[in-house]
Amino acid sequence: MKSFFALSMFLAVMVLSGCSNLTVLDPKGPVAEQQANLILFSIGFMLFIVLVVFVLFTLILVKYRERKSGPEYEPPHIEGNVFLEIVWTVIPVIILIVLAVPTVQTIFALEEAPEATSHKDPIVIHATSVDWKWVFSYPEENIETVNYLHIPEDHPILFKLASADSMGSFWIPSLGGQEYTMSGMMNELYLQADEVGEYRGRNANFTGEGFTEQVFTVTAESEEDYEEWVEEAQNAPKLTQEKYNELMLKGHTEEQTFSETHLQWVDHGMDAEYATKVRNGESTDEDDSSEMDHSEMNHDDSEKDSEEHSH
C-alpha cells in the first residue's frame, strides 16, 4: 500500500506540474481539439482500468492472504474456472473496442476538412522540409516563404507535405498532430486555426545535428489581414531557380519571401533526387536532359546512316 501510494503521488505531481505547458492539450483549432479529446478520453479510460486493477489486487491480497491456520493447513486446490476464464478473455476485447472505435472515427474524420468550415475552399500550401529549413509554397497565390507561414483564421488549410532530402515530420502542436514528409512521396494534412495568434511549428523527426533549429512560425490572422499580407508578398522578389538551389544546400537560413514558387521546376513529391543533384553539382534542368537525349538519338541515327552508306 505504501508503494502504491508513493507511485500515485509521483504520477499526480508529474502530470499536474506539466499541465500548464502541454500545448497539445490546449488546442487552438478543430483538428487539435479532436485529437486532444481523444487523448484525454484514452488517458481517462486507461486510468479507470488501472484503478479497477489496483482495487481488485488489494482485495485479493487481503482476502487470500496467508493466515495462521497451523503448519498442517493446506488451501484447497482449484483447477480451472470457465466463468473466470471467459471474463478475463472478454474484458480485454471490450477494452480494445472501446479504445479503437473513437480512434478510427477520429482518424477518418481528420482525412477531410473540418466540418464547421467544409463549405470553404481550403487554402493549399506545399510544405517541403529541407535539412534544416522549411519551404512553403502557395501555388494559388504564387507566393513562396521560408521558415514562416501566414494563414487566415477559421479557414481550412490543406498542407501537401514532401521532403527534399531526409524524412522529416511536420508538426504545429497547437493546431494538430504531426505528419511525415518524405522525398518522392506526397502526404496531405488538414489544419485550421480558430484563434488569431502566433504558433510555433517544427520538424519532429531527427534529421541530423541541425534539426533542433528546424522551426518555423505560423501567424493566424483575420481574412482581411491575410489578404493584405498576400498582396504585399506578391510584390516580393521573384524566386529564381538559382536561388532555390541555394536553399537545397544543408544549413539554416532566415525567414524569406518570394513571388513565384519552386513548383515550376520541381515537385519534391514526384522527384526524390532534385536536392541530391544540386548538392552534387549535377544538372537539374529537364530540358537540358531531354535535348541531350534528342542529340544522342540524332547522333546514333547519323552513325547508322554512315554505316549503311559505307556498306
Side-chain angles (χ1 to χ4, degrees):
M1 291 299 294
K2 290 182 179 179
S3 300
F4 171 65
F5 179 75
L7 178 62
S8 301
M9 292 298 295
F10 173 75
L11 293 176
V13 170
M14 291 295 292
V15 172
L16 295 177
S17 63
C19 281
S20 59
N21 297 321
L22 291 178
T23 307
V24 294
L25 297 182
D26 184 22
K28 302 300 182 182
V31 174
E33 184 176 4
Q34 290 183 68
Q35 294 173 336
N37 291 339
L38 179 61
I39 292 172
L40 291 174
F41 168 77
S42 301
I43 292 176
F45 185 64
M46 288 184 285
L47 287 177
F48 170 74
I49 294 172
V50 170
L51 178 62
V52 171
V53 169
F54 272 108
V55 169
L56 291 175
F57 179 68
T58 303
L59 291 175
I60 290 173
L61 285 179
V62 173
K63 184 175 182 180
Y64 298 101
R65 68 187 185 281
E66 183 178 359
R67 294 179 174 84
K68 297 179 180 180
S69 302
E72 298 180 357
Y73 173 78
E74 184 176 346
H77 294 277
I78 302 176
E79 297 182 2
N81 188 309
V82 176
F83 174 76
L84 291 178
E85 291 174 359
I86 293 176
V87 169
W88 62 54
T89 301
V90 171
I91 288 179
V93 173
I94 295 175
I95 293 173
L96 290 176
I97 292 174
V98 172
L99 290 173
V101 170
T103 301
V104 172
Q105 289 177 337
T106 302
I107 290 174
F108 278 96
L110 297 181
E111 291 295 320
E112 301 177 354
E115 185 177 354
T117 55
S118 58
H119 60 284
K120 298 180 181 179
D121 293 330
I123 294 175
V124 178
I125 301 177
H126 287 251
T128 305
S129 61
V130 191
D131 289 344
W132 293 280
K133 59 189 75 75
W134 286 94
V135 178
F136 300 104
S137 306
Y138 297 71
E140 297 173 1
E141 291 79 7
N142 209 25
I143 297 171
E144 185 140 307
T145 63
V146 180
N147 290 338
Y148 83 97
L149 277 169
H150 276 248
I151 59 174
E153 64 170 334
D154 294 326
H155 200 113
I157 311 296
L158 173 57
F159 286 99
K160 292 183 177 292
L161 309 174
S163 173
D165 37 44
S166 52
M167 184 175 75
S169 182
F170 178 82
W171 189 28
I172 309 175
S174 296
L175 303 183
Q178 60 182 319
E179 184 70 48
Y180 287 117
T181 63
M182 290 172 274
S183 57
M185 180 177 177
M186 185 75 72
N187 286 332
E188 293 186 352
L189 175 67
Y190 280 101
L191 293 179
Q192 179 177 312
D194 285 345
E195 297 182 19
V196 172
E198 186 173 287
Y199 309 109
R200 300 288 291 177
R202 65 166 300 105
N203 175 18
N205 190 60
F206 180 74
T207 55
E209 59 181 358
F211 104 103
T212 55
E213 298 178 25
Q214 190 176 350
V215 297
F216 59 94
T217 58
V218 183
T219 302
E221 53 198 357
S222 65
E223 293 277 357
E224 294 77 13
D225 290 340
Y226 173 75
E227 293 297 334
E228 289 181 7
W229 173 80
V230 169
E231 291 182 8
E232 180 181 348
Q234 288 173 340
N235 294 321
K238 287 189 176 181
L239 178 66
T240 63
Q241 189 169 12
E242 180 181 1
K243 179 62 179 178
Y244 184 70
N245 288 349
E246 292 179 6
L247 294 174
M248 293 297 97
L249 303 178
K250 284 189 176 183
H252 300 101
T253 186
E254 69 282 357
E255 294 183 354
Q256 302 179 50
T257 309
F258 303 97
S259 57
E260 306 288 347
T261 73
H262 73 266
L263 299 175
Q264 58 188 310
W265 306 300
V266 60
D267 182 349
H268 294 284
M270 302 293 294
D271 187 348
E273 303 296 330
Y274 188 88
T276 302
K277 291 178 181 178
V278 170
R279 294 167 186 174
N280 293 336
E282 302 175 13
S283 174
T284 58
D285 194 336
E286 295 183 359
D287 293 336
D288 290 345
S289 61
S290 62
E291 289 178 3
M292 186 181 298
D293 294 339
H294 184 66
S295 62
E296 290 177 353
M297 291 174 63
N298 290 339
H299 180 67
D300 293 340
D301 291 339
S302 62
E303 287 184 349
K304 183 177 181 182
D305 292 340
S306 298
E307 291 177 359
E308 292 178 352
H309 181 69
S310 61
H311 286 307

